Amino acid sequence: MIIRMANKKVKVKAVKKPKKKALRVLLFGFGSCAFIIYFFIFIFSVSLNIVDKYKEKEKLTNELIELKEKEQELAVDVEKLQDPEYIARYLREKFFYSKDGEYIIKIPKNE
C-alpha cells in the first residue's frame, strides 16, 4: 500500500497476522515431536532385534558344540567298526550270535 504525503511516497507495510506464524510454529513442533517419537520407537525395535539375534547366536553356538561332540563320537564308532573283532563281539552281545560250540543263556534282570 502506498500513501502519498506532500510529494513523498511512503510505503506502509501490511502487518502480518500472528495467528499464521503461531500455527506454523505449532505444526512444526508437532511434526518434530512425531518424528522424534518415531525415531525412538524405531531405535528401540532395532535394539530388541539385535538382542534377539545375540540370543539366537548363543543358542546356535551351543548346538554347534553339541553337534561337533556327536560327530567325534560317530567318528570313533566308525573307526571301531573297521575292526572285525569288534564287529564280532558287538554282534554276539547285541544280537545273541554265538561261536561254534557256544550256548547263549539270557538272564532276566530283576529290577
Side-chain angles (χ1 to χ4, degrees), residues 31-90:
S32 297
C33 288
F35 176 75
I36 290 171
I37 290 170
Y38 172 77
F39 180 73
F40 280 115
I41 290 172
F42 177 75
I43 294 295
F44 182 72
S45 67
V46 169
S47 299
L48 287 178
N49 193 9
I50 289 171
V51 168
D52 288 342
K53 294 297 178 185
Y54 275 118
K55 287 180 182 178
E56 184 178 353
K57 178 186 174 190
E58 184 178 334
K59 177 184 170 189
L60 291 174
T61 303
N62 291 337
E63 186 177 336
L64 176 66
I65 290 170
E66 290 174 5
L67 289 174
K68 283 186 177 183
E69 290 173 357
K70 178 85 170 174
E71 180 185 21
Q72 289 176 351
E73 291 173 7
L74 291 174
V76 169
D77 287 344
V78 167
E79 188 176 318
K80 287 180 181 178
L81 289 172
Q82 299 297 325
D83 183 18
E85 292 178 18
Y86 177 80
I87 294 174
R89 186 172 43 110
Y90 181 78

Side-chain angles (χ1 to χ4, degrees), residues 15-30:
V15 179
K16 292 183 180 179
K17 296 180 181 178
K19 290 182 180 179
K20 288 184 179 180
K21 186 175 182 180
L23 183 62
R24 258 188 262 155
V25 170
L26 188 63
L27 288 176
F28 180 74
F30 281 136

